[in-house]
């Protein structure tokens, strides 16, 4: 009886609890509806306010305005070259449109930024533009978010985008740096047409694979890769972020990507194939195309003469090839993803395969050219020098930091091999420059170099690919074993192939992609 009474009492308590919960459901539903309506009303009011500001401000010359979101427009990298070439192309094609650049650079004037673009890229805009200087660029800097960096930067970009939008409301908004989370701000609150140029997806399936495989690469910390629970949590975090990133990206009316590799990831995340196209970035190949490759034909005769003399002097020497001193040049900032350690280890294995003396290891040099952004990069260079000492190749490896363009050009023109080892580089402007300079490229078998750059041209070979220490060493040995005439043929093919990455090609493709939006502005 006691047990039955206890069971009956429990049933009454459970029923009372359910009735209490049910009595709370309807108020919660009503409250949710009210809050939703209030939020929608606020968004509508904000949009009307911004629309009024756009009508009130007008453009400087009375026409429509196009704004580029580029917080680091004074940085002087490949992304900035895309910005200035884009502006020049649109200005020449649409003279009635005004242009604005949102920048986070402080301590400089608009004139100084334009002068820097002229000096670095030899680009002069045909008419003035307006700069909107943003005060909170730190919101998008990785150093502000030691943990959950992607989420922090993306949320920060939304606040920075709001600052930009309230400062100037354009008719067309172009994100030229990859801040996808600003797109819905400008589209739904600002009522703007939206376009984006994507250099690199913020998140990709490759990043997820690195975490799933528990690989300590780049931003996957060692303590996370060793812990299965933390690895699983990070996979979920990346998957959720990828979903949000895809939703933000679909807000773009026109999507341009810089390579086939980037295209694949953006299509899988943003799922807008009809609005997406490849527009290869502009590479300044003109400075290298003026160097004649035919000089190697004269060198070939000299080198063959040396080979005959060498055979007469030492009949035992085999496989000497040409007697030229070969330099293997790598160009890239001393960042961890550039993987200079792989270059040094592969070079060490190449030297192990060579004999001592002329024509052997003494004829080879590895030249590492790059810039150091900060103290961390300088410490990385010291670590690389230590690796050279450890492998006993320090006498054959040169480090050249922050060199001038003229010295860079000279090194590339004199080099036999241009070395690139970054895994999944989204494009590879440095690879294109090496090919334009007449250097035989040996690039990583992934990303942009594999899919877009080091590909056959009119049936002819344009370079080599590898993805391991042994693969790189074998490829370098194969290149050095080629006759000068065979190397010359590859160099000619490579140089002709890079013409599709010129400024003119970029501007034509960029205008074609933007035409549908620009025509609507001019109506």
């Amino acid at each position: 009886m006691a047990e039955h009474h206890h069971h009956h009492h429990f049933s009454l308590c459970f029923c009372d609890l359910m009735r209490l919960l049910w009595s709370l459901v309807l108020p919660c539903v009503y409250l949710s509806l009210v809050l939703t309506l209030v939020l929608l009303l606020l968004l509508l009011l904000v949009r009307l306010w911004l629309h009024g500001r756009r009508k009130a401000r007008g453009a400087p010359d009375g026409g429509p305005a196009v704004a580029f979101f580029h917080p680091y427009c004074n940085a002087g990298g490949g992304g900035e070259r895309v910005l200035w070439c884009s502006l020049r192309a649109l200005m020449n094609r649409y003279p009635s449109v005004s242009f604005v650049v949102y920048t986070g650079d402080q301590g400089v004037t608009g004139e100084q930024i334009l002068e820097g673009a002229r000096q670095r890229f030899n680009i002069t805009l045909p008419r003035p533009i307006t700069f909107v200087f943003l005060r909170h660029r730190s919101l998008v800097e990785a150093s502000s978010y030691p943990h959950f960096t992607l989420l922090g930067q993306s949320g920060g970009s939304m606040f920075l985008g709001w600052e930009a939008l309230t400062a100037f409301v354009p008719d067309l908004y172009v994100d030229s740096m990859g801040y996808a989370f600003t797109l819905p701000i400008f589209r739904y609150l600002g009522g703007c047409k939206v376009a984006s140029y994507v250099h690199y997806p913020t998140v990709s399936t490759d990043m997820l694979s690195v975490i799933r495989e528990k690989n300590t690469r780049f931003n996957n910390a060692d303590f996370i890769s060793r812990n299965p629970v933390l690895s699983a949590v990070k996979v979920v975090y990346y998957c959720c972020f990828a979903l949000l990133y895809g939703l933000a990206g679909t807000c773009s009316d026109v999507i341009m990507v810089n390579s086939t590799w980037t295209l694949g990831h953006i299509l899988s995340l943003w799922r807008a194939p009809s609005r997406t196209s490849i527009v290869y970035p502009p590479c300044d190949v003109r400075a290298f195309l003026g160097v004649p490759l035919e000089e190697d034909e004269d060198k070939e005769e000299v080198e063959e003469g040396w080979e005959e003399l060498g055979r007469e002097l030492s009949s035992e020497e085999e496989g000497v090839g040409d007697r030229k001193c070969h330099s293997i040049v790598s160009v890239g900032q001393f960042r961890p993803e550039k993987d200079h350690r792989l270059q040094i280890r592969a070079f060490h294995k190449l030297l192990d395969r060579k004999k001592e003396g002329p024509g052997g290891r003494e004829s080879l040099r590895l030249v590492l050219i790059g810039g150091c952004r900060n103290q961390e990069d300088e410490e990385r260079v010291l670590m690389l020098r230590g690796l050279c000492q450890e492998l006993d190749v320090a006498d054959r490896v040169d480090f050249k930091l922050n060199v001038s363009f003229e010295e860079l050009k000279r090194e590339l023109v004199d080099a036999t091999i241009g070395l690139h080892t970054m895994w999944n580089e989204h494009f590879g402007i440095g690879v294109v420059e090496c090919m334009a300079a007449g250097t035989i490229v040996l690039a990583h078998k992934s990303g942009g170099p594999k899919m877009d750059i080091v590909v056959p041209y009119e049936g002819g070979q344009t370079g080599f690919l590898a993805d391991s220490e042994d693969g790189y060493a074998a490829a370098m040995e194969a290149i050095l074993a080629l006759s000068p005439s065979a190397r010359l043929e590859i160099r000619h093919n490579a140089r002709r192939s890079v013409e599709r990455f010129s400024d003119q090609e970029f501007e034509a493709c960029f205008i074609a992609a933007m035409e549908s939006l620009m025509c609507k502005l001019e109506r």
Side-chain angles (χ1 to χ4, degrees):
M1 283 293 293
E3 183 179 346
H4 175 73
H5 177 75
H6 178 74
H7 178 73
H8 179 69
H9 179 71
F10 176 79
S11 299
L12 287 175
C13 291
F14 180 75
C15 291
D16 290 340
L17 178 62
M18 292 302 295
R19 276 194 293 269
L20 175 63
L21 292 176
W22 179 251
S23 66
L24 294 175
V25 167
L26 284 178
C28 288
V29 170
Y30 291 144
L31 181 61
S32 299
L33 288 174
V34 170
L35 290 176
T36 302
L37 289 173
V38 170
L39 179 61
L40 290 175
L41 182 61
L42 285 174
L43 292 176
L44 179 61
L45 290 174
V46 169
R47 177 160 176 156
L48 290 173
W49 174 64
L50 291 171
H51 182 70
R53 293 197 62 173
R54 179 167 58 198
K55 281 190 170 296
R57 56 92 181 153
D61 60 358
V66 176
F68 282 75
F69 188 77
H70 209 102
Y72 295 87
C73 74
N74 201 36
E80 287 65 59
R81 185 173 185 82
V82 168
L83 170 68
W84 303 121
C85 284
S86 302
L87 283 165
R88 182 176 61 186
L90 291 175
M91 283 183 168
N92 288 328
R93 177 68 176 80
Y94 302 99
S96 64
V97 177
S98 297
F99 294 91
V100 172
V101 174
Y102 300 116
T103 177
D105 294 299
Q106 300 293 323
V108 292
T109 64
E111 291 76 15
Q112 289 172 327
I113 292 175
L114 293 174
E115 177 61 20
R118 188 191 66 78
Q119 291 180 355
R120 294 186 189 104
F121 307 119
N122 194 29
I123 295 175
T124 302
L125 300 183
R127 61 179 191 272
I129 63 172
T130 302
F131 287 93
V132 174
F133 292 91
L134 307 176
R135 293 176 293 123
H136 301 100
R137 190 176 70 180
S138 59
L139 291 172
V140 298
E141 293 179 355
S143 58
S144 300
Y145 310 98
H147 307 290
F148 299 100
T149 308
L150 288 180
L151 190 61
Q153 286 182 290
S154 299
S157 71
M158 297 179 74
F159 285 101
L160 192 64
W162 173 253
E163 180 188 349
L165 180 59
T166 53
F168 184 90
V169 186
D171 298 282
L172 171 59
Y173 170 76
V174 183
D175 167 36
S176 53
M177 274 204 76
Y179 292 106
F181 286 85
T182 63
L183 301 176
I185 301 292
F186 279 82
R187 177 165 184 172
Y188 296 116
L189 294 183
C192 311
K193 295 294 182 182
V194 173
S196 56
Y197 187 94
V198 184
H199 298 271
Y200 196 89
T202 304
V203 64
S204 69
T205 53
D206 295 321
M207 294 181 184
L208 291 173
S209 67
V210 167
I211 301 165
R212 287 194 182 103
E213 294 167 5
K214 300 178 181 178
N215 192 331
T216 56
R217 177 180 281 166
F218 306 148
N219 63 341
N220 196 30
D222 188 49
F223 75 92
I224 292 179
S225 64
R226 289 199 306 262
N227 190 310
V229 175
L230 291 179
S231 292
V233 170
K234 192 165 185 179
V235 168
V236 172
Y237 161 63
Y238 268 68
C239 288
C240 293
F241 182 85
L243 177 63
L244 295 174
Y245 179 66
L247 291 173
T250 55
C251 296
S252 189
D253 298 298
V254 168
I255 304 164
M256 294 165 281
V257 298
N258 68 341
S259 69
T260 303
W261 182 85
T262 307
L263 175 69
H265 288 286
I266 290 300
L267 287 179
S268 67
L269 292 165
W270 292 13
R271 302 185 183 277
S274 61
R275 291 176 274 152
T276 308
S277 59
I278 297 177
V279 179
Y280 291 122
C283 304
D284 188 14
V285 297
R286 291 173 301 172
F288 299 103
L289 295 179
V291 180
L293 299 182
E294 285 69 26
E295 290 181 359
D296 270 23
E297 295 175 355
D298 298 329
K299 289 180 182 178
E300 181 180 348
E301 296 178 3
V302 176
E303 289 164 356
E304 288 176 351
W306 275 107
E307 289 178 25
E308 292 178 7
L309 179 61
R311 283 193 291 270
E312 291 175 5
L313 294 175
S314 179
S315 59
E316 295 179 358
E317 188 174 52
E318 296 178 0
V320 171
D322 58 328
R323 300 294 294 267
K324 179 184 175 183
C325 181
H326 298 284
S327 66
I328 301 164
V329 174
S330 163
V331 181
Q333 287 184 323
F334 288 97
R335 305 201 307 260
E337 62 268 25
K338 295 297 182 182
D339 209 351
H340 289 90
R341 292 176 62 89
L342 174 57
Q343 297 176 6
I344 295 170
R345 291 186 182 280
F347 183 66
H348 170 249
K349 290 195 172 185
L350 173 66
L351 294 182
D352 283 346
R353 302 183 184 200
K354 291 288 183 179
K355 298 178 180 179
E356 297 288 343
R361 64 178 283 145
E362 296 302 318
S363 68
L364 302 176
R365 296 200 72 80
L366 175 63
V367 183
L368 303 180
I369 302 175
C372 287
R373 303 163 299 172
N374 47 40
Q375 181 67 30
E376 186 179 347
D377 286 353
E378 292 174 3
E379 291 173 359
R380 191 170 293 109
V381 170
L382 290 176
M383 179 271 294
L384 293 172
R385 291 184 187 274
L387 179 62
C388 292
Q389 295 283 354
E390 178 186 331
L391 298 177
D392 195 26
V393 295
D395 62 323
R396 312 307 309 160
V397 179
D398 294 331
F399 288 82
K400 300 199 172 183
L401 311 181
N402 304 316
V403 302
S404 67
F405 178 75
E406 285 305 315
E407 186 175 356
L408 169 65
K409 180 180 174 181
R410 185 168 59 251
E411 290 289 349
L412 287 179
V413 168
D414 292 341
T416 302
I417 299 173
L419 196 57
H420 165 276
T421 50
M422 179 176 171
W423 172 74
N424 269 348
E425 173 119 50
H426 49 289
F427 181 69
I429 290 178
V431 176
V432 173
E433 290 177 342
C434 285
M435 294 168 75
T439 302
I440 294 185
V441 162
L442 172 55
H444 199 281
K445 194 176 182 180
S446 65
K450 176 186 177 183
M451 296 181 178
D452 295 305
I453 303 175
V454 189
V455 295
Y457 178 75
E458 295 182 352
Q461 186 177 3
T462 59
F464 294 77
L465 297 168
D467 57 8
S468 65
E469 290 179 22
D470 290 327
Y472 273 99
M476 286 188 282
E477 189 173 33
I479 294 169
L480 297 172
L482 292 173
S483 67
S485 59
R487 286 201 294 266
L488 184 61
E489 181 180 355
I490 295 174
R491 294 164 66 202
H492 274 302
N493 292 335
R495 174 170 283 187
R496 288 195 297 267
S497 74
V498 300
E499 292 176 1
R500 60 208 165 100
F501 305 125
S502 65
D503 288 1
Q504 294 75 20
E505 284 293 317
F506 168 81
E507 291 183 6
C509 293
F510 187 84
I511 289 293
M514 293 287 290
E515 189 124 31
S516 61
L517 292 181
M518 297 299 296
C519 288
K520 293 176 183 177
L521 295 184
E522 289 196 312
R523 289 174 187 169

